[in-house]
Amino acid sequence: MIMLPISIRTKFHSIEGLEWGNPQGTPILCFHGWLDNANSFAPLANFFPEYRFISIDFPGHGKSSHKPENSVYYFAEYALEIVSITQTLGLENFILMAHSMGAAISTLVAGTNLLKLKQLILIEALGPLTNVSQSAPDIMTEAIKQILHPRGKKETYFPDMESAVTIRLKAGDMNEESASILMDRGIEKTPRGLKPRRDIRLHFNSFFRYTEEQVISFCERIDCPTLLLLGDKSNFPIANAFPGRKSAVKNLTEVILSGGHHLHMDHPEKVAHVIRQFLNDHNIKET
């Protein structure tokens, strides 16, 4: 299936992405996980030819623009970015699909009811990580210390693509082909060698985290059919976690498949089958 690049300008960023499928079909808008990029959904795209399948690089990731110099990233701002990107693309009555960090943010966005969503598909996350209120001072303290550390974060350079893929494999549970797909978009050539495209400031700790009660309040307001896909071998095991979040989502379908955290890349055919069944079931109910 033909893949086309997307380039848009929102109020805040130059956003890059990829598009497959039928331009007149129902849109599926996809957002990747932390330090990944739009190629995260390339393996899945081939199984949705009748849809307008769009995958976006978050700001600071892939080929999208970075934040201005002397600024930092805030997790909550990504919710603003999703809404801004959706409005710039002119999407309504579409399917929102996301993985890991993207799924955590998409949970919050869906809970605002700012977007007209047909269905919500979350892979390996239902809302963000949380902390108890009492830990907020410690979290902010650590973030400030990291950002103001005199040595700062050091950029990584690789002599060749094989080295980059090897390091990426150590960072997450995925197969080599999936890591290569991510690195193909996530690495750029420089005079000093191959360098990750991601903004190095993404490695700083967050200034704050939501409480569990706050995340549940977002889950309670999600009013579209929601599919939660989990891998039984994930390094981020949430299958038995967050019972309060799961019960708060009014129309939630949970499916656990054999696979790791990047199961949508490692096993796209199996994941696509579950997603298509979910979409078909709810499309039948609508008619």
Side-chain angles (χ1 to χ4, degrees):
M1 190 161 57
I2 297 174
M3 176 181 70
L4 298 173
I6 291 178
S7 183
I8 60 174
R9 177 72 201 183
T10 69
K11 187 175 181 179
F12 308 98
H13 284 282
S14 297
I15 298 295
E16 303 292 327
L18 301 167
E19 182 172 343
W20 299 260
N22 178 10
Q24 308 306 318
T26 298
I28 299 178
L29 181 62
C30 304
F31 290 94
H32 59 79
W34 181 61
L35 302 184
D36 288 350
N37 55 64
N39 273 10
S40 177
F41 288 93
L44 265 184
N46 292 321
F47 297 95
F48 296 87
E50 74 273 34
Y51 290 87
R52 183 187 178 194
F53 198 98
I54 306 167
S55 184
I56 295 294
D57 289 328
F58 272 126
H61 297 74
K63 298 183 179 182
S64 288
S65 65
H66 295 185
K67 292 197 74 169
E69 190 177 354
N70 302 322
S71 60
V72 294
Y73 288 84
Y74 295 92
F75 180 86
E77 288 182 349
Y78 282 116
L80 173 64
E81 298 296 346
I82 287 181
V83 176
S84 180
I85 289 165
T86 300
Q87 291 179 345
T88 303
L89 288 170
L91 301 182
E92 291 189 356
N93 297 315
F94 68 99
I95 299 156
L96 179 59
M97 183 190 303
H99 170 247
S100 195
M101 182 189 80
I105 300 159
S106 294
T107 304
L108 304 182
V109 171
T112 67
N113 301 125
L114 287 169
L115 303 179
K116 295 180 180 179
L117 300 178
K118 286 174 65 68
Q119 288 100 11
L120 174 65
I121 300 167
L122 305 172
I123 303 171
E124 280 284 289
L126 177 60
L129 295 173
T130 58
N131 281 100
V132 295
S133 299
Q134 292 85 345
S135 67
D138 295 328
I139 292 171
M140 181 173 287
T141 298
E142 184 58 32
I144 292 173
K145 286 167 62 178
Q146 280 190 6
I147 293 168
L148 296 182
H149 196 286
R151 290 193 300 274
K153 295 286 184 180
K154 300 298 182 183
E155 190 55 88
T156 303
Y157 294 90
F158 304 102
D160 49 47
M161 186 61 77
E162 289 76 14
S163 301
V165 170
T166 298
I167 293 298
R168 186 63 185 85
L169 284 170
K170 292 180 179 179
D173 55 342
M174 68 177 77
N175 64 37
E176 185 172 350
E177 181 180 0
S178 297
S180 296
I181 291 170
L182 285 176
M183 290 297 95
D184 185 59
R185 188 174 179 87
I187 294 290
E188 62 181 343
K189 291 181 179 179
T190 75
R192 294 183 58 184
L194 299 179
K195 182 177 78 71
R197 291 184 187 274
R198 59 90 188 98
D199 193 328
I200 197 169
R201 290 170 291 180
L202 293 168
H203 290 277
F204 289 134
N205 283 11
S206 297
F207 271 78
F208 71 93
R209 286 181 176 172
Y210 294 94
T211 65
E212 190 64 20
E213 293 77 12
Q214 287 174 322
V215 174
I216 288 174
S217 71
F218 281 94
C219 292
E220 289 173 341
R221 296 195 184 190
I222 297 174
D223 57 10
C224 64
T226 302
L227 173 64
L228 176 62
L229 276 170
L230 305 172
D232 64 353
K233 300 177 181 65
S234 173
N235 286 341
F236 302 88
I238 66 169
N240 297 316
F242 308 129
R245 302 185 191 189
K246 293 178 184 178
S247 61
V249 179
K250 302 178 186 69
N251 190 354
L252 178 69
T253 301
E254 178 183 355
V255 177
I256 301 174
L257 294 172
S258 176
H261 186 56
H262 285 77
L263 71 160
H264 65 303
M265 297 191 72
D266 292 344
H267 309 289
E269 184 172 6
K270 180 168 56 178
V271 170
H273 175 76
V274 174
I275 293 172
R276 292 189 66 92
Q277 186 63 57
F278 169 78
L279 297 178
N280 290 338
D281 288 347
H282 287 282
N283 286 337
I284 291 170
K285 290 177 183 178
E286 288 180 2
T287 56

